[in-house]
Amino acid sequence: MASDRQFERRKLVDKNMKILIVDDFSTMRRIIKNLLRDLGFTNTQEADDGQTALPMLQSGDFDFLVTDWNMPGMQGIDLLKAVRADAKLKDLPVLMVTAEQKREQIVEAAQAGVNGYIVKPFTAQTLKEKLDKIFERIEG
Amino acid sequence: MTEEKKSLLGESSLEFARKLVQEIENGNESGVEAMIDELADLRESTLFMEVGKLTRQLHDAINSFHIDAKISELADRDFPDARERLNYVIEMTDKAANTTLNAIEESLPMCESMEDSARRMAEEWQRFTRREMSADEFRAMSPRIGKYFEDSTEQAGQLRGKLTEVLMAQDFQDLTGQIIKKVITLVEDVESNLVKLIRIAGAGAVEKKKEDKQDKDIKAEGPVVPGVDDVRADVVSGQDEVDDLLSSLGF
């Protein structure tokens, strides 16, 4: 049964994984934080742009990164590129949650090595699906 | 006449003055009058030339103002664009407010009914602990307790769903914030262009059209406003299209 398989897989995902949420709007960070908590992920931290996020990632043993694109200071796409260029961080799963929806932008993010791309406004269900998909690929 | 205009202190002016003195000495009134008229004409034509020069400057200034592509862009595109964006902000905030209010209106009766049944169960339970309840009454209460537990679990779950709806409705703030920031940038553009206009009108300076910097980097654009951005650029219309695009790239 599909639901049983899903349950098995979810059991494998470490709900205690450390997740960094990067967005310049605190309301969006709160929404993502609450949605993640609803999905069982309680170990989250926040940053308001790439410049703040990068040092946190470099020193903070994070397991997952959720980032916006359009932010002052360092943009999400540049953060993604910096993560992929960093020997220690290059394998960190990155999920983009952004209002940017030009095809060339999505292609650029894909080429930069993003693991998932969600456009705003999004639903709780979409977030869950994309997370599941990313974990599925990592384990598979 | 043209020679005299060019060099008022030249030989011809001196000649003219000598001739005028001579005419006065000769008592030739009509001749003097003709010469003074000629002098007045000279003066008037200089005035006309100055007016002409000013007209030319004004014309140039107006032209340079028209040439500034930014201005016509503002009028043709950016203002209607800003209007659309702000309308979209109204639409989104309206939708968020309604979603939130609906969820609250549906949650309140749930809270009330949970409160009611909890109070009723508490009263019955107290009668039981005070041993005021007969065995028959207790047997009747037992399934009600079971149902109460079931109902409470279900209603708490429903409430949780409503709270998630309220939570998700707050996402407008991020998107409207980005849109309003864009409109603020537009207002700043208008301001700087008005300053330019004042400078042109004041000093008659010709503004050179600034070369638009060609930015090759892919820049962040902010939220796509329906009817404004999606008709202009190659954008996806939602998560499904993002997924399709990514899967076409091997994701």
Side-chain angles (χ1 to χ4, degrees):
Chain A
M1 271 165 68
S3 58
D4 280 345
R5 248 198 342 266
Q6 211 167 17
F7 180 69
E8 285 305 314
R9 192 170 71 236
R10 280 180 65 187
K11 269 210 307 196
L12 292 172
V13 175
D14 178 13
K15 294 277 173 167
N16 225 358
M17 65 162 57
K18 200 165 159 192
I19 303 176
L20 183 63
I21 303 162
V22 190
D23 199 305
D24 54 331
F25 282 86
S26 65
T27 41
M28 187 43 75
R29 292 201 300 271
R30 275 175 63 187
I31 289 172
I32 294 172
K33 192 173 101 173
N34 277 292
L35 288 173
L36 287 173
R37 193 171 57 199
D38 223 34
L39 297 172
F41 300 98
T42 50
N43 191 6
T44 54
Q45 283 191 33
E46 299 174 32
D48 61 1
D49 83 329
Q51 256 161 18
T52 325
L54 194 56
M56 286 173 79
L57 290 168
Q58 279 162 343
S59 62
D61 65 329
F62 282 93
D63 303 300
F64 202 92
L65 170 63
V66 180
T67 182
D68 185 21
W69 181 314
N70 191 6
M71 294 177 288
M74 190 191 215
Q75 306 245 333
I77 188 71
D78 298 322
L79 177 63
L80 171 63
K81 287 173 183 169
V83 163
R84 290 291 174 257
D86 187 308
K88 197 185 137 204
L89 298 174
K90 65 179 178 19
D91 295 323
L92 181 73
V94 179
L95 174 64
M96 272 209 147
V97 180
T98 173
E100 304 302 324
Q101 41 188 290
K102 270 193 178 172
R103 285 176 190 277
E104 57 174 14
Q105 290 174 311
I106 298 162
V107 171
E108 200 200 1
Q111 282 165 351
V114 81
N115 298 81
Y117 199 103
I118 295 177
V119 288
K120 297 176 191 170
F122 64 102
T123 63
Q125 186 58 32
T126 305
L127 181 66
K128 187 183 175 307
E129 278 170 18
K130 300 305 157 202
L131 284 174
D132 281 348
K133 200 170 171 193
I134 292 172
F135 295 137
E136 193 180 351
R137 281 168 173 277
I138 290 168
E139 281 153 23
Chain B
M1 278 290 274
T2 37
E3 271 173 50
E4 279 141 347
K5 257 190 286 174
K6 276 175 193 161
S7 55
L8 278 170
L9 294 173
E11 198 57 36
S12 56
S13 292
L14 206 58
E15 183 78 13
F16 185 88
R18 282 197 195 106
K19 211 176 151 198
L20 181 61
V21 171
Q22 206 183 340
E23 294 284 15
I24 293 168
E25 279 171 353
N26 290 347
N28 183 356
E29 204 179 323
S30 63
V32 172
E33 212 169 306
M35 287 195 77
I36 288 174
D37 282 350
E38 205 181 310
L39 207 59
D41 281 351
L42 172 68
R43 180 132 199 105
E44 261 173 39
S45 78
T46 313
L47 181 68
F48 285 140
M49 266 186 56
E50 278 305 308
V51 171
K53 236 193 272 175
L54 279 174
T55 309
R56 163 64 52 187
Q57 279 176 2
L58 186 62
H59 180 76
D60 287 349
I62 290 168
N63 268 354
S64 76
F65 189 63
H66 279 311
I67 287 163
D68 197 335
K70 187 70 197 159
I71 305 271
S72 58
E73 216 173 272
L74 281 174
D76 290 349
R77 213 191 69 193
D78 293 349
F79 275 123
D81 193 296
R83 208 161 44 228
E84 281 302 306
R85 286 180 196 282
L86 291 178
N87 275 328
Y88 186 55
V89 168
I90 294 173
E91 206 180 290
M92 287 188 84
T93 48
D94 182 73
K95 203 175 128 214
N98 281 314
T99 307
T100 306
L101 290 171
N102 288 345
I104 290 169
E105 281 170 13
E106 287 160 28
S107 301
L108 284 175
M110 281 188 234
C111 289
E112 280 161 22
S113 112
M114 283 168 87
E115 213 180 339
D116 271 359
S117 42
R119 192 181 298 117
R120 273 201 309 274
M121 285 318 303
E123 279 164 12
E124 283 195 89
W125 185 251
Q126 272 165 13
R127 281 184 58 225
F128 170 73
T129 52
R130 287 198 299 263
R131 293 166 195 279
E132 293 165 5
M133 195 175 267
S134 71
D136 280 349
E137 274 180 307
F138 179 77
R139 270 192 292 278
M141 184 184 75
S142 180
R144 280 206 297 278
I145 291 180
K147 186 161 188 320
Y148 167 71
F149 287 147
E150 262 172 42
D151 288 352
S152 297
T153 311
E154 197 197 315
Q155 282 171 326
Q158 281 174 357
L159 265 182
R160 191 189 164 91
K162 293 291 156 201
L163 287 175
T164 306
E165 276 176 37
V166 172
L167 175 79
M168 289 309 291
Q170 309 313 308
D171 68 350
F172 77 93
Q173 203 272 335
D174 165 49
L175 300 174
T176 56
Q178 291 187 50
I179 290 168
I180 289 171
K181 272 187 187 168
K182 268 198 162 180
V183 176
I184 290 173
T185 311
L186 170 69
V187 171
E188 284 167 354
D189 270 6
V190 172
E191 191 189 3
S192 76
N193 273 290
L194 278 177
V195 169
K196 250 194 246 171
L197 171 63
I198 289 164
R199 212 168 50 220
I200 289 167
V206 178
E207 281 287 319
K208 275 183 196 147
K209 191 189 162 192
K210 274 184 201 154
E211 288 293 311
D212 283 332
K213 270 187 278 174
Q214 279 295 88
D215 207 342
K216 282 198 169 173
D217 287 345
I218 293 178
K219 277 197 281 185
E221 307 269 345
V224 167
V225 177
V228 180
D229 295 310
D230 49 357
V231 291
R232 237 189 273 140
D234 190 15
V235 299
V236 297
S237 67
Q239 189 64 42
D240 286 346
E241 282 190 32
V242 175
D243 295 347
D244 287 349
L245 179 58
L246 286 177
S247 72
S248 79
L249 294 167
F251 268 68

